[in-house]
């Protein structure tokens, strides 16, 4: 498949795409997980990645903030190459510090929350602003409280993760990512580890985030969320993008046989 | 079938199992203990002298020496352990091999041999100095014989050996922390070093602290080997007394009491340190022994196990009805 047409619902195309992937390849040992991914995510767009497990969608997401190194192809975030610096026809691998600086601008939310268990909810949120950005403690705390308030956990500021429900933990994790004022948010199956009745709260927070104009790439199995919030729905299988389009079109009228087969099982 | 009469919950009395075996075992044990004490009392040992030895100057000096060398050597061991554990987990092959070699050597040779090697280092190196570049001056300059005091030899011998063991303990702690923690820390822009210090090590502590307490208790006792470097600690004090007074048993019992006091204090300290690092990992921390003691002092009866007997009774009466 090729890149999606250049007119997303809320797309702001004046400054180029936020994420641009060109023939991205990734292999783990002998297994080729990504076999040439071409995708573009415009500013303020929400792209949902759908597909069976092992299709490479999580790996692609992790390549965007360089948690995984791309083996071939190019990946740009906000116009800058991920993990490398290009000079002439040579690519120089970035130093750890430079990679960290770029990661700081990209928020990521994990399936298993990955909150720091030895820190309170507030400390989880203020850790990066204080340690990475060098914000003052007072400033970070004030903003941390506001962020926890925003995800509906204003009364859980001093609570440790083990005392929070999965849904609450995931919302703290979202607040932690937002504390760095990211220009892009990556979500790796954010609701897959949650009890069904807790999923709604997390999706509400994500929906609000999308309405506020955050650029988001979301790996998810929540078809409803993809339909309502997504500007693009990408269906991946076996390391390739099988189908891309506006969610309503893809969901109601899938073009590809594999998409049809997958949706018939999920819907 | 006739209905059995319904029994109210309060009327059922629970008879606990009687543990006859425990009583028999206790009596046998007491008898054996009595025989042992009688035997010890018959020996020509001047037990009455032990209390005086306990606070004699020579023993107290030795006690202080044992405390100083154990604490400093353990501290050195912990610092080296953290450094070499991180080195072993590094991606740099040179760094990993250095750590591997260090652990291989210091874990693979006896402590007493290492202590004596340090003590005799002046055979190889005559002076220790830190020169200031481009001048003829030195920041530090001393002959090896002056530098390698008994304390230094003991510190290096025990500390470097301990470092090798601590490295493995710390490494186990680090790899026990979930991979997701590293990813989360990296994803918010932390460097590897920040991730290690702020996220991984604090969580690894929960795994590191218990065996470290064990190591320290071991160190308190292993420090007696430092006597071979003529460092003045408990064991050497005991020997100096017994070689003059020819009463080995009395002095050995004396220092045994001190070693037990030291290890007991270390055990209690370990308990509280473990609690400190359990933060956020369990919902409710268990009571400390002191809290339990205080609670027990103000309750006369043994606290009831909440309602289990009534529950059974209710269940039983439910069945009978």
């Amino acid at each position: 498949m090729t890149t999606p047409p250049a007119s997303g619902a809320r797309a702001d195309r004046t400054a180029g795409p936020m994420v641009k992937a060109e023939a991205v390849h990734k292999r783990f040992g002998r297994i080729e997980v990504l076999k040439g991914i071409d995708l573009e995510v415009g500013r303020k767009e929400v792209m949902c990645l759908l597909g069976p497990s092992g299709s490479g969608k999580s790996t692609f997401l992790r390549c965007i903030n360089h948690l995984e190194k791309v083996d071939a192809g190019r990946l740009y975030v906000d116009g800058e190459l991920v993990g490398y610096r290009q000079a002439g026809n040579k690519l120089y691998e970035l130093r750890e510090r430079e990679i960290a600086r770029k990661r700081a601008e990209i928020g990521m939310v994990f399936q298993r929350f990955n909150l720091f268990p030895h820190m309170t909810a507030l400390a989880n949120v203020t850790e990066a602003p204080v340690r990475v950005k060098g914000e003052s403690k007072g400033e970070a705390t004030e903003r941390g409280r506001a962020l926890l308030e925003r995800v509906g956990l204003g009364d859980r500021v001093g609570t440790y993760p083990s005392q929070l429900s999965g849904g609450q933990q995931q919302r703290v994790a979202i607040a932690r990512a937002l504390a760095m004022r990211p220009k892009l948010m990556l979500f790796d199956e954010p609701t897959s580890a949650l009890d069904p009745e807790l999923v709604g709260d997390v999706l509400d927070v994500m929906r609000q985030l999308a309405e506020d104009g955050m650029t988001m790439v979301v790996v998810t199995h929540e078809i409803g969320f993809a339909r309502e919030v997504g500007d693009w729905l990408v269906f991946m299988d076996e390391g390739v993008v099988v189908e891309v389009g506006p969610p309503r079109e893809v969901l109601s009228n899938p073009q590809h046989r594999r998409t049809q087969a997958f949706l018939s099982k999920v819907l | 079938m006739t209905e059995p009469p319904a029994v109210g919950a309060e009327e059922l009395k629970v008879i606990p199992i009687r543990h006859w075996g425990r009583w028999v075992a206790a009596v046998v044990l007491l008898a054996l203990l009595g025989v042992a004490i009688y035997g010890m009392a018959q020996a020509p040992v001047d037990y009455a002298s032990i209390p005086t030895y306990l606070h004699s100057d020579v023993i107290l000096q030795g006690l202080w020496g044992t405390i100083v060398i154990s604490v400093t050597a353990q501290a050195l061991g912990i610092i080296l352990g953290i450094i070499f554990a991180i080195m072993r987990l590094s991606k740099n092959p040179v760094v990993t091999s250095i750590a591997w070699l260090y652990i291989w050597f210091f874990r693979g040779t006896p402590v007493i041999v290492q202590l004596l090697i340090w003590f005799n280092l002046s055979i190889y190196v005559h002076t220790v100095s830190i020169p200031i570049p481009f001048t003829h001056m030195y920041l530090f300059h001393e002959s090896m014989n002056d530098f390698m005091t008994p304390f230094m030899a003991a510190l290096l011998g025990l500390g470097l050996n301990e470092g090798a063991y601590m490295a493995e303990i710390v490494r186990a702690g680090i790899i026990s922390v979930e991979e997701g923690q590293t990813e989360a820390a990296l994803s918010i822009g932390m460097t590897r070093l920040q991730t290690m210090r702020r996220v991984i090590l604090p969580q690894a502590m929960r795994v590191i602290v218990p065996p470290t307490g064990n190591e320290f208790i071991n160190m308190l006792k292993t420090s007696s080997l430092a006597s071979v470097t003529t460092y003045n600690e408990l064991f050497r004090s005991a020997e100096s007394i017994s070689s003059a007074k020819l009463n080995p048993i009395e002095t050995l019992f004396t220092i045994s009491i001190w070693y037990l006091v030291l290890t007991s204090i270390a055990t209690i300290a370990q308990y509280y340190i473990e609690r400190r690092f359990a933060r956020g990992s369990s919902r409710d921390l268990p009571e400390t022994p002191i809290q339990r003691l205080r609670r027990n002092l103000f309750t006369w009866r043994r606290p009831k196990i909440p309602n289990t007997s009534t529950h059974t009774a209710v269940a039983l009466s439910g069945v009978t009805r």
Side-chain angles (χ1 to χ4, degrees):
Chain A
M1 253 318 274
T2 51
T3 51
S7 60
R10 293 177 288 111
D12 170 10
R13 290 272 162 173
T14 49
M18 179 59 85
V19 180
K20 187 176 178 193
E22 294 174 352
V24 168
H25 284 73
K26 173 72 192 172
R27 57 170 68 241
F28 292 119
R30 292 211 170 155
I31 307 158
E32 195 163 31
V33 191
L34 298 178
K35 300 170 185 164
I37 304 287
D38 296 293
L39 280 175
E40 264 185 36
V41 187
R43 282 158 206 277
K44 303 194 172 185
E45 282 186 341
V46 176
M47 176 177 277
C48 293
L49 302 180
L50 201 67
S53 59
S55 57
K57 49 196 194 313
S58 285
T59 306
F60 176 66
L61 198 72
R62 294 156 58 83
C63 286
I64 296 176
N65 70 350
H66 207 55
L67 280 181
E68 303 288 355
K69 221 188 247 178
V70 167
D71 290 327
R74 305 278 170 85
L75 194 52
Y76 299 89
V77 170
D78 203 6
E80 288 181 45
L81 203 55
V82 173
Y84 298 90
R85 183 163 42 83
Q86 189 165 8
N89 57 354
K90 281 187 184 146
L91 288 185
Y92 293 94
E93 232 180 304
L94 288 185
R95 303 223 151 256
E96 204 211 322
R97 221 159 248 293
E98 300 168 296
I99 292 171
R101 204 173 304 138
K102 292 196 172 182
R103 279 202 192 110
E105 301 175 337
I106 305 172
M108 186 159 191
V109 175
F110 300 86
Q111 180 178 359
R112 305 221 40 95
F113 331 132
N114 297 348
L115 288 180
F116 306 134
H118 56 301
M119 298 181 191
T120 61
L122 183 63
N124 263 281
V125 177
T126 58
E127 177 69 13
V130 174
R131 302 280 157 185
V132 177
K133 270 196 175 166
E135 279 181 30
S136 78
K137 254 212 155 124
E139 194 185 334
T141 304
E142 200 175 308
R143 235 176 80 72
R145 282 178 192 278
L147 278 167
L148 286 172
E149 192 75 52
R150 185 168 155 197
V151 297
L153 293 171
D155 55 339
R156 293 311 186 98
V157 168
T159 317
Y160 284 98
S162 65
Q163 293 161 321
L164 295 171
S165 75
Q168 291 171 330
Q169 288 189 53
Q170 194 59 300
R171 285 183 280 153
V172 174
I174 294 173
R176 174 174 70 180
L178 291 178
M180 291 299 281
R181 304 178 200 268
K183 53 189 178 191
L184 166 68
M185 283 284 284
L186 309 174
F187 291 84
D188 190 1
E189 301 197 26
T191 57
S192 296
L194 298 178
D195 289 343
E197 82 268 23
L198 303 177
V199 169
D201 291 340
V202 172
L203 291 183
D204 285 344
V205 169
M206 291 169 63
R207 190 172 292 129
Q208 188 58 51
L209 206 55
E211 278 168 26
D212 294 347
M214 177 63 75
T215 312
M216 294 162 63
V217 182
V218 186
V219 173
T220 187
H221 295 300
E222 295 291 333
I223 308 279
F225 177 82
R227 190 194 338 253
E228 289 163 37
V229 183
D231 295 302
W232 299 106
L233 195 147
V234 176
F235 180 75
M236 285 178 69
D237 193 16
E238 293 179 358
V240 294
V241 171
V242 176
E243 193 161 347
V244 187
R248 279 171 211 283
E249 279 176 31
V250 177
L251 290 171
S252 59
N253 187 20
Q255 298 298 308
H256 200 282
R257 191 177 37 80
R258 276 190 282 180
T259 319
Q260 290 162 6
F262 179 77
L263 289 176
S264 71
K265 278 181 218 155
V266 187
L267 287 176
Chain B
M1 208 182 132
T2 54
E3 289 262 310
V7 187
E10 314 77 37
E11 291 166 44
L12 278 179
K13 196 176 176 219
V14 178
I15 315 283
I17 302 171
R18 302 271 183 241
H19 298 281
W20 300 113
R22 294 181 187 175
W23 288 100
V24 174
V27 169
V28 170
L29 191 71
L30 277 175
L32 287 175
L33 210 60
V35 171
I37 288 172
Y38 178 77
M40 285 171 77
Q42 293 303 301
V45 175
D46 180 14
Y47 294 106
S49 66
I50 291 178
T52 22
Y53 281 137
L54 267 180
H55 56 83
S56 69
D57 284 347
V58 182
I59 291 290
L60 287 182
Q61 271 167 22
L63 176 69
W64 180 240
T66 292
I67 293 171
V68 169
I69 193 63
S70 301
V71 170
T72 50
Q74 187 66 43
L76 178 63
I78 290 173
I79 293 166
L80 290 174
I82 293 172
I83 293 171
F84 282 101
I86 294 173
M87 283 173 72
R88 262 204 81 173
L89 293 166
S90 159
K91 280 183 188 157
N92 181 336
V94 180
V95 169
T96 332
S97 339
I98 294 172
W100 188 88
L101 269 175
Y102 167 82
I103 293 168
W104 173 75
F105 180 78
F106 285 98
R107 210 170 53 161
T109 52
V111 195
I112 196 162
V113 173
Q114 289 173 33
L115 281 163
L116 288 170
I117 290 176
W118 286 113
F119 193 52
N120 292 304
L121 204 65
S122 57
I123 293 172
Y124 292 99
V125 188
H126 304 292
T127 53
V128 187
S129 54
I130 305 170
I132 301 169
F134 312 117
T135 64
H136 292 290
M137 294 189 296
Y138 292 99
L139 207 61
F140 182 87
H141 184 82
E142 219 169 345
S143 85
M144 182 54 94
N145 275 329
D146 292 335
F147 174 75
M148 196 56 75
T149 57
F151 173 76
M152 274 310 265
L155 175 65
L156 289 171
L158 294 172
L160 283 163
N161 180 73
E162 183 59 31
Y165 285 93
M166 283 306 301
E168 289 296 277
I169 291 171
V170 173
R171 190 172 69 96
I174 290 173
I175 57 180
S176 79
V177 179
E178 238 191 302
E179 188 70 26
Q181 292 290 313
T182 309
E183 289 183 354
L186 292 179
S187 81
I188 51 176
M190 295 174 104
T191 59
R192 292 224 158 248
L193 202 66
Q194 282 176 322
T195 303
M196 185 56 76
R197 255 198 22 202
R198 300 284 308 168
V199 177
I200 307 299
L201 279 181
Q203 292 183 63
M205 287 307 275
R206 223 157 46 84
V207 174
I208 295 172
V209 167
T212 303
N214 207 26
E215 287 294 305
F216 181 62
I217 286 168
N218 244 326
M219 177 65 80
L220 284 168
K221 298 172 297 168
T222 312
S223 66
S224 58
L225 292 178
S227 57
V228 299
T229 69
T230 69
Y231 175 73
N232 222 337
E233 44 67 65
L234 266 177
F235 185 70
R236 197 171 141 82
S237 301
E239 283 204 307
S240 72
I241 294 177
S242 64
S243 61
K245 301 252 173 92
L246 301 175
N247 54 354
I249 288 293
E250 287 85 340
T251 50
L252 288 175
F253 275 3
T254 305
I255 63 168
S256 294
I257 291 170
W258 274 123
Y259 278 120
L260 280 169
V261 169
L262 291 179
T263 51
S264 305
I265 293 171
T267 308
I268 294 165
Q270 179 187 357
Y271 176 84
Y272 283 96
I273 295 172
E274 274 177 37
R275 267 178 74 86
R276 170 82 172 69
F277 283 104
R279 252 183 336 171
S281 61
S282 57
R283 280 151 209 255
D284 279 309
L285 287 177
E287 287 181 295
T288 64
I290 290 174
Q291 287 169 340
R292 203 178 315 143
L293 185 72
R294 206 175 292 147
R295 179 168 57 75
N296 284 347
L297 277 182
F298 295 107
T299 8
W300 291 103
R301 292 231 198 139
R302 180 190 292 210
K304 266 189 190 163
I305 302 164
N307 284 335
T308 25
S309 54
T310 25
H311 276 304
T312 355
V314 169
L316 280 176
S317 56
V319 169
T320 50
R321 284 192 201 109

